Every structure is written in structure tokens, then in C-alpha cells.
Amino acid sequence: MAYSEKLLDHYENPRNVGTFDKGDASVATGMVGAPACGDVMKLQIKVGKDGVIEDARFKTYGCGSAIASSSLATEWVKGRTLEQALEIDNAAIALELALPPVKIHCSILAEDAIKAAVADYRRKHPGSAQDNPAGELPGAN
Amino acid sequence: MNSFPIYLDYSATTPVDPRVADKMIPYLTHSYGNPASRSHCFGWDAEQAVQLAREQVAALVNADPKEIVWTSGATESNNLAIKGAAHFNQGKGRHLVTLKTEHKAVLDSMRELERQGFAVTYLDVERNGLLDPDCFKEALRPDTILASVMLVNNETGVIQDIAALGALCRKRGVLLHVDAAQATGKVDIDLARLAVDLMSFSAHKTYGPKGIGALYVRRKPRVRLQAQMHGGGHERGLRSGTLATHQIVGMGEAFAIAHAEMGAENERIRMLRDRLHASLSELEEVFVNGDLERRVAHNLNLSFNHVEGESLLMAIKEIAVSSGSACTSASLEPSYVLRALGLSDELAHSSIRFTLGRFTTLAQVDFAAALIKQKIGKLRALSPLWDMYKEGIDPGTLQWAAH
């Protein structure tokens, strides 16, 4: 399969690989996928007091496209508020990496990982909905 | 000195041995006659070359040259054997038996027969990829007309006990077809002793050209088939179509070389395979898929737990291998052969098939082993499942949402 240069670059030089301390209150984790399906993504965000994502880390078990999609997601969430992070959708990831059609699910997984991490943060910080005027907390239940 | 990429996918196909190519070329440009032309020396020369090749193929498997029918490859041989025998014998019964780990050319021929009203039993194999003969015996019914079992599996390289299955079939009056595409030049085949009625061969898995194969059709006791390709009545009416003289010459020469050299060659390849296996076994959580003892010397099928196969293939682009991972196929399903061995989806996704061959060198094997060890380390450092394993959590025990 022929992959784009951007995808290969993210695969060969993945950004922000690693793990934050789970005990840190400013850290939230999203883990999505399943080993049986061939991909599992773990995305962690570190959120500042102003509600802006200061840093991100990932680890991914999966094909090259899954690794590249999660690497790109960590780059894109940095500097965004939680609400802005939720605006990242799979189509933008797929477009940026020029994912072939059979690999679109990798970009969906990356979007899901961002949503899961944000939901985890909101679960841990119930009062942090100031960036969400409607007060609706996706996934917070 | 290695040149890249290093080819370790000999079960997909092999290069044509230069000695084989040399024999083929004159039959393209000089001795180009049609072997069916009886009226001039162009035809006679071609016919003589085809006859020699028939003898060479028959000699490798200890058969009579009259029992060899040329086809376009093992896929056609499997189709002709299975559909041809089923159609000819449908008055006796309409049940067939095969294994879940067979090649698609066998399984899809069986599916087609099911569409035509035949019944097919697909047998499970043991965890090591081998068939339990008792399980096979129980599957044979009074209306069973044909069983089809491959000699060497293309993914795992395991060798089925064809002698035992043949004896069972002969006793029950069931025809036995054996797909031997992956076996020629790798295991001894003696059709004078084996109770096998039909056997499929391919040239390109044994250093011959693509596009040519053969079907062995036993004469004593005589096995009859209904032709699937109709026309000029070539190959005793079993397979019409002008014979591809140069391809046939190539297959004959390739099988003659295999006959002469397989003993020494397999010893050398086994040494290289065992060296590769020993080196990769230094990694944690590496599992051999299929029985290691009853396996051809060329094959090493490993699962590298917690690393996904396609990402590993991308990381080791200096070597050419194949993976059972879904991501390398269009179907998004992991290898059905490995699943039939009872492997979890996760381990099937993590599998790599290394197949070595005539032109594999020690330097290539050592390079491949070192590269894989380095890249497995890198990918496991990226893998959340590896972290869990290291923390003592078995990812298999967690609840995962399918997606």
C-alpha cells in the first residue's frame, strides 16, 4: 500500500510518545479500540488551569495509519481548549494524512480517543464546564 | 553484502532458477512448435520436450509420466481435481470432506460445489495445525466421494499425515486429493506408496515459472474426472488448450533440480531457519504458530505479541515477508488459517510468516533477525498493550468495545 509522506513521517518519527503520571489531577486519559480488532489507542492530555490543553501523549497498538493518526492527534490538541479539541474530526485527520479508504477507521479511532480523553477530564473535574456554555457534557455520565 | 530488500517470502513465490530460465528460452524463440503438430519436426521437437518434462515431474513424486496432466497452476489443478471428481462421481454420492486451513482454491471450489447441491464437511485442525486422523475418519460418510487435504500448509508450513489419511480413504472407497503446491522439493513424495488419487502441483513455488502446474491423476486404480476445460482434447481430454511448451520445460527442469538437490538444500535452509528462530526467540512474548517439528524447513510463522503485524511490516521494509494481520488484506479479517488453529484475533494480527529458500544467505538471516529485534523494541515502546503486559495486566481479560 502506498502511503503519503506525512503519514510515513508520523509513523517513523511519532510525536509525543509516552505516558503521563495518572496520579496528576491535570491529566486525563482516553483509551479506545480493541486488541481483537487490531488497534488500541491511548491518548492522554494535560490541561492547564485556564482549560487549555498544555501537552499530550499517546501510545498505540495498531497499523502504521493508526500510529500516525494518534501522533497527529497529539499535535493538534495541544494549545486548544477542551471544546476546541472536540472540534477535531476524523475527516480532517484522514485528509491531512491522505489515508486510503480502508484506513479511515484509524482516523475515527483518533477522534474517539480525543473525545474519550476530554470526557475523562470532565468526569474528574465536574466544575470545569466553563468552556461549554450549554452545559452539555458529552460522555460525562 | 546484502542487497535490499531481502526476500523472505518464498512461500508466496520463488524466483525462477537461472538454470531453469536457460532451458526455457529456446522454446520461445527457436523450438516454438506446437506439441500437438504431428506433421513436422517443429511439433515433434516440442512434443519431445514436453515428454521429458512429464518424466521429470513424475520422477520427483515417483509417478508414471502418463499420470501427469498439465494445467495453468495449482489453482486450476485443485479446481479440476475437486470439481472434476465430484461431477464424475455424483452418482455414487454428493458429500466431500476438507479442512478449514486449506488454500482458497480448494475452499472456493468446495463452496461452488455446495451451490450445486453437494454437501461439504470442513474439519477443524488441532492447535498445532495438524488434523486428527480419528476426526477425519468420523467425518467420512457412506456417501462421501472425495476428501481434499493439503500436504504442506502455505501459512504455517505444517505437514499433514497424508499416508494415514490415504489408507483410511482407500479402505472406505473415498478418493483423496492432495494439494502439494507447497510441498514439492521440501518433503519426499512417493506416489507409488501413498494411497493418493489426485495431487496438485505448481511450478512457481519450486523455482519454476508462474502460469504452469500439473495434476497427478492415478491410473491404477484408475481415477476418472469430468473435464472442466473443453476444446481440442489435449491431455487425454482432461484439459484442452495448446500446451505452453516453454513453461512446461521450465517446470520439468525445476522439478529435476529439486529432485537432485532437495536433500542438501533442505538441510541448509533448516539451519538458517533454526538460526532465525533462535535469534528471534530472545525476544519476550514470541510464539510459533503451528507445529515446529512436523513442518517444512523453510517456514517460520511467529506472532510477536502486543505488536500489530502491518506496523511491523512497515518498520522492516528492508525485508519482504507476509503477515496474517487483517491490515495487510482487503478483507479486514485476520488470517483464517491462524484463526482455525485457535489463535486469538490479537495474536493473528501480530503474526509474521518468514519463508526461506534456495537463495537465502546467512548474512540475510542475521540482518533480518537484528532488524526485527530492534523494531519490535521500538513498536512495543509505542504499544499500550505492552505496558499493560509489563504491569501484569492481561489485555485479554479486559472488556473492550468492538469497533
Side-chain angles (χ1 to χ4, degrees), chain B residues 278-283 368-378:
Chain B
S279 182
L280 294 178
S281 296
E282 290 166 14
L283 292 164
L371 179 71
I372 291 157
K373 283 195 274 192
Q374 180 208 339
K375 298 298 184 180
I376 290 285
K378 183 188 167 187

Side-chain angles (χ1 to χ4, degrees), chain B residues 10-45:
Chain B
Y10 279 81
S11 282
T13 190
T14 60
V16 173
D17 190 301
R19 294 170 287 181
V20 170
D22 286 347
K23 294 273 186 195
M24 292 172 64
I25 288 165
Y27 291 93
L28 285 161
T29 53
H30 183 261
S31 303
Y32 50 77
N34 185 334
S37 296
R38 296 288 160 85
S39 53
H40 49 67
C41 64
F42 293 91
W44 304 333
D45 283 353

